[in-house]
């Protein structure tokens, strides 16, 4: 292998001819000088002016490039810095100095002076970030911190940089970077955070749950926001439903789950407001009623997002139930009242008309000599006798049968799916039970009997009055025939 030829003055000139960097030219020059060859030294001395001019021209071009770059980004609130790590110095562009209110010539180049302007609370993280990059543990240097301005106030800046030259051992030699004034962004961010906290506080104070729910076009659900009210509404936390949205659906009562899904799907398809009342089954509260109201909107990716709220309507539902009971139940006997029984008759007639093979019978029941009981024992005991007979009727009913108090001492029964023969057996049981179970209170014993008229409900009846009229006529015949009797009406 031929020996490596030492560099001489021609190599230095060749570097300059091909436009090498100043650092490369200086490296060639240094190596040539180290040869201490008299001819080379003489030749370099003769070219000293040329070498000096080249160095000046390269430095001038670099300065111009930096100046142009500084002008280009100066209006954006960004400045440039260039750090000589070994020398412990740092140079700033005019734009950088302007961020802090300085002229370029007012800033020293000592790196310690630069550190001295950093807010004391932020200095440790700045030094740590810088050292991590020097040691090549991070690809670049990036940190946000406060820095003292000329007037003594502090600004927030974002400083980013990168080591651009290292020695053979990997030690940092030169580092360049930019600094951007982010004070306005920090103020805006703080204001935005205040608004977020305010909205969060307000929604957390609203009774019930304020929620943002998202459903992708592929059917994937996400709860993107849930107020603190979710703890009361579903006994869950915002963090739980953020990780697993299906927890909400699992809290819904099994009987209401299908309707819940269907109504949500319809709202998504038609983009119509979603309103749903449903039950939930919770570990602590048990079964409760909830009402959901939300408005959907379609996003560009095809997903649907709802903004709405869920409230507890358990008390309202209980009030509705009580009002419905008052409107449909006879207060004395706790059987359905006349209005409620008539509605049950309408349902049965509709069933017959929809199914030619279906059948049903209607019974009218009247306590015999009830006026005598009232006159002899008083209305209070008469009322208790009615309650006693109502209990007898209720004890004989099947699940699908209907019963109601339709007059003073008159009661009506509709036996769903029963033939006249089956209705006769039912009437006989009621008759026997009534005879065998007198009303007794203390020393008072009141024997009872009942007259019953039976009629078949027909699919071609004009209305429910037809079968009621036939059973009422049969009841009239039973009473005229001596009471305590059962009569079948004409079809």
């Amino acid at each position: 292998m031929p020996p490596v030829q030492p560099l001489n003055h021609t190599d230095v000139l060749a570097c300059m001819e091909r436009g090498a960097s100043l650092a490369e030219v200086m490296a060639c020059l240094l190596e040539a000088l180290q040869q201490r060859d008299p001819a080379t030294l003489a030749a370099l001395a003769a070219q000293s002016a040329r070498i000096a001019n080249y160095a000046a021209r390269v430095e001038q071009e670099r300065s111009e490039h930096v100046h142009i770059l500084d002008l280009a980004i100066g209006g954006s609130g960004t400045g440039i810095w260039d750090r000589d790590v070994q020398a412990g110095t740092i140079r700033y562009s005019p734009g950088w100095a302007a961020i802090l209110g300085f002229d370029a010539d007012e800033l020293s180049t000592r790196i310690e002076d630069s550190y001295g302007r950093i807010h004391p609370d932020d200095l440790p993280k700045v030094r740590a970030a810088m050292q991590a990059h020097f040691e090549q543990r991070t690809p670049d240097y990036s940190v946000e911190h406060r820095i003292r301005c000329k007037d003594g106030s502090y600004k927030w800046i974002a400083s980013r940089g990168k080591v651009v030259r290292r020695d053979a051992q990997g030690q940092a030699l030169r580092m360049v970077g930019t600094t951007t004034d982010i004070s306005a962004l920090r103020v805006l961010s703080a204001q935005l955070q205040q608004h977020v906290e305010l909205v969060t506080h307000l929604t957390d104070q609203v009774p019930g749950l304020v929620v943002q729910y998202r459903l992708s076009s592929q059917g994937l659900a996400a709860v993107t926001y849930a107020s603190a009210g979710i703890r009361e509404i579903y006994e869950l936390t915002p963090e739980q439903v953020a990780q697993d949205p299906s927890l909400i659906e699992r809290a819904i009562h099994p009987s209401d789950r299908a309707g819940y899904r269907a109504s949500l799907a319809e709202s998504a398809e038609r983009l119509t407001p979603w309103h749903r009342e449903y039950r939930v089954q919770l570990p602590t509260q048990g079964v409760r009623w909830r009402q959901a109201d939300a408005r959907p909107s379609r996003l560009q990716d095809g997903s649907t997002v709802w903004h709405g709220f869920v409230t507890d309507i358990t008390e309202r539902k209980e009030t509705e139930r009580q009002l419905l009971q008052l409107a449909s139940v006879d207060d004395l006997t706790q059987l359905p009242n006349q209005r409620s029984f008539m509605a049950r008759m309408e349902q049965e007639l509709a069933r017959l008309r929809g199914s030619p093979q279906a059948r049903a019978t209607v019974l009218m029941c009247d306590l015999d000599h009830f006026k005598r009981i009232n006159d002899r024992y008083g209305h209070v005991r008469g009322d208790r006798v009615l309650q006693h007979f109502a209990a007898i009727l209720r004890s004989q009913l099947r699940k699908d049968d209907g019963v109601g108090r339709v007059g003073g001492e008159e009661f009506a029964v509709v036996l769903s799916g029963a033939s006249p023969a089956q209705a006769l057996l039912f009437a006989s049981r009621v008759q026997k039970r009534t005879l065998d179970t007198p009303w007794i209170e203390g020393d008072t014993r009141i024997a009872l009997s009942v007259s019953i008229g039976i009629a078949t409900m027909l699919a071609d009846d004009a209305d429910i009055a037809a079968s009621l009229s036939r059973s009422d006529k049969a009841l009239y015949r039973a009473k005229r025939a001596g009471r305590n009797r059962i009569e079948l009406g004409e079809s």
Side-chain angles (χ1 to χ4, degrees), residues 114-173:
S114 175
Y115 282 136
R117 284 187 290 269
I118 297 173
H119 193 286
D121 293 343
D122 299 338
L123 184 57
K125 72 175 181 181
V126 171
R127 286 186 177 275
M130 186 72 73
Q131 189 62 33
H133 182 52
F134 284 168
E135 296 173 0
Q136 303 185 63
R137 289 184 282 115
T138 57
D140 52 37
Y141 163 77
S142 179
V143 67
E144 294 182 1
H145 63 87
R146 289 161 290 181
I147 191 167
R148 189 175 66 252
C149 299
K150 183 177 180 179
D151 62 6
S153 64
Y154 280 91
K155 276 186 175 181
W156 275 96
I157 61 171
S159 189
R160 296 175 179 83
K162 190 176 185 68
V163 171
V164 295
R165 192 166 70 245
R166 296 179 181 272
D167 62 17
Q169 288 72 43
Q171 296 296 313
L173 299 178

Side-chain angles (χ1 to χ4, degrees), residues 7 12 15-16 18-31 51 54-56 58-59 62 164-166 173-174:
L7 295 182
V12 176
C15 282
M16 292 191 294
R18 60 184 174 83
S21 68
L22 185 59
E24 189 175 351
V25 172
M26 292 298 103
C28 287
L29 177 61
L30 181 61
E31 186 173 342
I51 296 172
Y54 183 83
V58 171
E59 179 62 21
R62 189 198 68 79
V164 295
R165 192 166 70 245
R166 296 179 181 272
L173 299 178
R174 183 184 178 196

Side-chain angles (χ1 to χ4, degrees), residues 200-239:
T200 301
H201 178 72
L202 290 175
T203 56
D204 285 348
Q205 299 307 309
V206 172
L209 164 65
V210 178
V211 65
Q212 184 183 67
Y213 180 79
R214 181 171 178 168
L215 189 66
S216 73
S217 56
Q218 291 78 35
L220 299 176
V223 178
T224 47
Y225 176 79
S227 67
I230 197 170
R231 293 178 171 86
E232 180 68 21
I233 294 297
Y234 291 121
E235 294 187 5
L236 297 167
T237 67
E239 294 77 17

